[in-house]
């Protein structure tokens, strides 16, 4: 790329809006092309069906959003989003046991995905410098194999086609991107692609939380054990604005995920702990059961193409998608946008291949974390060239199980693991001598026999009578360990409202 003046972003969702905002710092004319019409308030729309399911924005992505759109996190908090400090404010059953609720440097934003998109969109477009073409679909790239010069678009109402010229076209059209076809039409060779598909599917349902529970009760995560030899089964209860819970049940291939209302709670009872089932059994459902089967990890390698065209970049889900259970998609997209910002800030020409390589490097951490875990599930379909996924599996899994287990009971190890899980620190940190030294000297807390919930928290969800606050396990499985529970107070960190 020489000094680009005119940029076009294809797709106006999470990655598209952040990209448009970032480009508007470097270019005079930025246009977003979006197939849908944006709702005037936080509402679901056709182009982002995943918004029906629980979403967490990890701090690794949230901090980038805040850098491009200052004030966004406060605006989300004002609209009812919760800021959860991990692991202090969450209750998690990991593959190797219950996690102590240790403090950390990291947080996650929890609210409806429609609210996240709406606030980011409003903040982006309030700058006034970005042109938006709604109900407009990108249908073809214009130019030559060496250089893209624009895009052909179709008005989805009239069917009329026009061309838009640009120095830079960014594909942010998500997992359904037609990039492979567009490149083939230009005569370019196919892009290399890795796929790790554990057959993950999601089903979610909105519930009315008991009064006070969306603020005062922690989010709950029940994970699967990939080494059990059985299909993985997961469950989560996340707070949302408006006093609601979004409850997501998930499963890998063969888990027999429910699609009918009648099967929802029974499936939750098959998880490794009945907490999710207990929480929702008496709660009022507010929606149907919504199913999504987009759970594979898939990564394209555009940077490997010898002749990547000038004037074209790809990021967000169009570049790499991850099993949603890790909550990394939005943060990975934000990291890609930040990488492009750094490239464009450099003086001189910006070759597209170099910029694309920088963007692709930022998806590597979430890719390897998700793919190396999912590959362990039974009946996982794998088609990869990544050498880290094709050899040495036994050693890798043994080490990862060792540190996962340690993090459950060690405040310092847990803090580093949370840095990594939130995409704030690279997983390479876990192989440093610094981290190994930390593991060798850290003191372990007692193993938890049951979910670390305080009596106040249990009372909020009407489970108090069944769960003494300080004993280990009850017949029901609920209990609390006094030293592991901070309190049921509303959460805040660094002065931010929860
Ligand atoms: C069930 C589920 C749960 C998830 N949970 C989490 C989570 O907890 N945390 C997290 O970080 N991530 C999560 N993700 C991933 C997250 O949703 C995605 O990573 C994120 O939406 C990617 O943003 P994007 O803008 O790249 O793509 P999308 O959000 O998919 O947006 C693509 C946009 O492009 C538009 N479009 C498509 N084709 C065209 C075209 N030809 N012309 C014009 N416009 C077009 C679409 O209408 C849409 O607006 C989850 C995903 C799923 C499926």
């Amino acid at each position: 790329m020489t000094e680009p003046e005119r940029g076009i972003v294809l797709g106006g969702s999470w990655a598209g809006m952040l990209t448009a905002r970032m480009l508007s710092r470097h270019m005079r004319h930025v246009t977003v092309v979006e197939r849908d019409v944006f709702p005037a308030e936080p509402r679901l729309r056709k182009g982002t069906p995943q918004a029906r399911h629980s979403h967490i924005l990890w701090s690794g992505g949230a901090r980038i959003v805040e850098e491009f759109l200052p004030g966004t996190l406060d605006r989300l908090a004002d609209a009812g989003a919760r800021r959860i400090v991990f692991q202090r404010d969450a209750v998690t059953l990991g593959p190797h046991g219950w996690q102590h609720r240790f403090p950390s440097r990291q947080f996650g934003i929890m609210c409806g995905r429609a609210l996240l998109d709406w606030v980011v969109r409003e903040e982006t477009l309030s700058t006034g410098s970005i042109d938006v073409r709604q109900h407009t679909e990108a249908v073809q790239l214009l130019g030559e194999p060496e250089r893209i010069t624009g895009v052909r678009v179709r008005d989805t109402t009239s069917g009329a086609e026009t061309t838009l010229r640009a120095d830079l076209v960014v594909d942010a059209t998500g997992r359904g991107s037609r990039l492979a076809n567009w490149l083939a039409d230009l005569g370019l060779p196919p892009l290399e692609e890795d796929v790790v598909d554990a057959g993950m599917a999601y089903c979610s349902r909105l519930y009315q939380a008991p009064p006070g529970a969306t603020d005062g009760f922690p989010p709950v995560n029940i994970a699967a054990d990939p080494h059990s030899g059985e299909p993985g089964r997961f469950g989560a209860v996340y707070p949302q604005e408006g006093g609601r819970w979004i409850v997501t049940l998930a499963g890998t291939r063969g888990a027999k995920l429910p699609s009918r209302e009648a099967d929802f709670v029974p499936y939750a009872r098959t998880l490794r702990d009945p907490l999710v089932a207990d929480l929702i059994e008496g709660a009022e459902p507010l929606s149907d059961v919504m199913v999504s089967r987009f759970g594979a990890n898939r990564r394209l390698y555009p940077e490997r193409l010898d002749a990547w065209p000038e004037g074209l970049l790809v990021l967000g889900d169009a570049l790499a998608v991850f099993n949603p259970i890790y909550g990394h998609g939005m943060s990975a997209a934000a990291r890609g946008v930040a990488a492009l910002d750094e490239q464009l800030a450099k003086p001189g020409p910006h070759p597209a291949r170099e910029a694309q390589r920088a963007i692709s490097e930022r998806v590597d951490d979430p890719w390897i974390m998700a793919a190396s875990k999912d590959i362990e599930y039974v009946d996982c379909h794998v088609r990869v060239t990544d050498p880290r996924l094709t050899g040495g599996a036994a050693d890798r899994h043994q080490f990862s199980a060792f540190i996962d287990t340690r993090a459950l009971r060690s405040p310092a190890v847990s803090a580093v693991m949370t840095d990594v899980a939130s995409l704030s620190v690279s997983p390479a940190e876990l192989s440093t001598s610094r981290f190994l030294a930390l593991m060798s000297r850290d003191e372990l807390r007692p193993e938890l026999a049951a979910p670390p919930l305080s009596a106040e928290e249990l009372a909020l969800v009407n489970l108090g009578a069944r769960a003494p606050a300080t004993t280990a396990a009850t017949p029901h499985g609920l209990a609390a360990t006094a030293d592991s529970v901070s309190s049921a107070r509303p959460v805040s960190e660094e002065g931010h409202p929860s």
Side-chain angles (χ1 to χ4, degrees):
M1 293 178 279
T2 47
E3 290 302 318
E5 279 288 295
R6 189 176 286 275
I8 294 183
V9 183
L10 309 181
S13 175
W14 181 259
M17 282 299 156
L18 286 179
T19 304
R21 168 64 190 130
M22 180 277 295
L23 287 184
S24 71
R25 308 208 297 201
H26 301 278
M27 297 180 176
R28 256 192 286 173
H29 307 282
V30 177
T31 302
V32 174
V33 171
E34 168 56 49
R35 193 159 52 186
D36 271 357
V37 174
F38 296 129
E41 54 192 34
R43 237 185 309 121
L44 297 170
R45 65 181 173 88
K46 198 169 160 222
T48 49
Q50 71 270 37
R52 297 167 191 278
H53 300 276
S54 56
H55 273 69
I56 174 174
L57 174 62
W58 277 107
S59 40
R63 291 190 178 108
I64 296 172
V65 173
E66 191 63 17
E67 188 202 324
F68 289 124
L69 298 166
T72 299
L73 298 188
D74 279 345
R75 233 192 118 182
L76 282 165
D78 290 346
R82 257 186 92 189
R83 185 181 171 109
I84 304 291
V85 174
F86 279 85
Q87 303 289 333
R88 189 190 72 188
D89 305 328
V91 166
T92 302
L93 178 63
H96 307 285
W98 289 104
Q99 170 70 52
H100 273 272
R101 290 171 66 178
F102 299 129
S104 79
R105 301 168 276 267
Q106 307 305 336
F107 61 91
I109 304 294
M110 287 190 178
C111 63
R113 169 66 195 264
L115 176 63
L116 274 173
D117 283 351
W118 185 74
V119 170
V120 164
R121 188 164 65 240
E122 289 263 302
E123 291 292 315
T124 299
L125 300 183
S126 69
T127 57
S129 58
I130 295 163
D131 176 35
V132 181
R133 304 263 179 132
Q134 300 183 58
H135 52 78
T136 304
E137 183 181 30
V139 291
Q140 189 189 4
L141 294 175
L142 302 174
E144 303 295 326
E146 300 77 29
R147 171 173 289 280
I148 301 306
T149 54
V151 60
R152 177 173 290 280
V153 297
R154 178 167 45 220
D155 184 310
T156 56
T157 320
S158 67
E161 291 196 3
T162 44
T163 58
L164 301 174
R165 299 281 163 194
D167 303 300
L168 174 63
V169 175
V170 181
D171 179 10
T173 56
R175 64 183 62 227
S177 165
R178 310 258 310 147
L179 183 67
N181 302 52
W182 294 338
L183 294 178
D185 290 346
L186 286 166
L188 282 157
L191 296 180
E192 288 183 34
E193 183 186 51
D194 276 356
V195 179
V196 174
D197 180 6
M200 188 75 166
Y202 256 49
C203 70
S204 301
R205 202 168 188 198
L206 282 169
Y207 283 83
Q208 185 63 52
T214 46
D215 284 344
F217 193 79
V220 170
N221 269 304
I222 308 291
D225 175 3
H227 298 112
S228 67
E230 299 289 321
R233 289 169 179 233
F234 308 77
V237 179
Y238 284 3
Q240 285 204 339
E241 65 279 12
R244 292 178 310 225
W245 275 336
I246 179 128
V247 178
T248 290
L249 303 177
T252 61
R253 189 167 286 109
K256 299 195 176 71
L257 196 70
S259 54
R260 295 183 322 153
E261 290 170 14
D263 300 329
F264 200 74
V265 176
Y267 183 92
R269 286 244 165 259
T270 68
L271 302 180
R272 289 169 55 233
D273 187 274
L275 180 56
V276 170
D278 291 338
L279 287 171
I280 58 177
E281 202 154 46
E284 181 198 347
L286 299 176
S287 75
D288 298 337
V289 172
M290 304 164 289
V291 178
S292 167
R293 305 210 173 268
F294 302 132
N297 302 286
R298 183 176 57 82
R299 176 180 183 180
L300 292 175
Y301 293 97
E303 68 282 6
R304 289 187 188 165
L305 212 61
D306 285 339
W308 180 253
E310 285 302 316
L312 177 67
L313 296 170
V314 53
L315 46 67
D317 275 16
L319 175 66
V321 286
F322 313 100
N323 177 349
I325 210 77
Y326 307 107
H328 282 164
M330 293 186 297
S331 293
R335 283 158 61 96
V337 176
L340 178 54
D341 183 51
E342 286 162 24
Q343 291 295 311
L344 293 175
K346 288 183 187 166
H350 309 100
R353 190 155 178 255
E354 213 169 282
Q356 187 60 55
R357 186 178 297 124
I359 295 168
S360 296
E361 272 170 13
R362 300 286 169 97
V363 302
D364 193 57
D365 287 349
W367 161 256
I368 198 61
M369 283 196 270
S372 63
K373 282 225 156 55
D374 282 11
I375 212 166
E376 298 181 42
Y377 285 103
V378 285
D379 205 10
C380 181
H381 297 179
V382 180
R383 202 181 65 235
V384 291
T385 52
D386 189 331
R388 297 167 297 178
L389 297 168
T390 51
D395 288 351
R396 191 179 59 235
H397 299 158
Q398 219 174 2
F399 180 62
S400 122
F402 177 67
I403 51 180
D404 282 354
T405 308
R406 196 103 184 164
L408 299 176
R409 299 165 55 197
S410 152
V413 176
S414 168
V416 178
M417 294 293 279
T418 309
D419 288 344
V420 171
S422 64
L423 294 186
S424 305
V425 166
S426 168
E429 176 64 24
L430 305 178
S431 313
T432 60
S433 51
R434 183 176 47 236
F435 180 68
L436 296 177
L438 183 147
M439 279 215 295
S440 69
R441 62 169 187 268
D442 200 26
E443 280 180 23
L444 294 182
R445 302 286 165 85
E447 198 172 330
L448 290 175
L453 285 159
S454 69
E456 293 91 337
E457 288 168 335
L458 288 165
L460 264 180
V461 292
N462 306 315
L463 292 176
R466 293 190 273 174
T470 50
T471 57
T474 67
H476 171 71
L478 286 176
T481 329
D483 71 339
S484 66
V485 180
S486 48
S487 80
R489 69 187 179 285
V491 174
S492 71
E493 192 209 36
E494 297 160 14
H496 286 267
S498 60

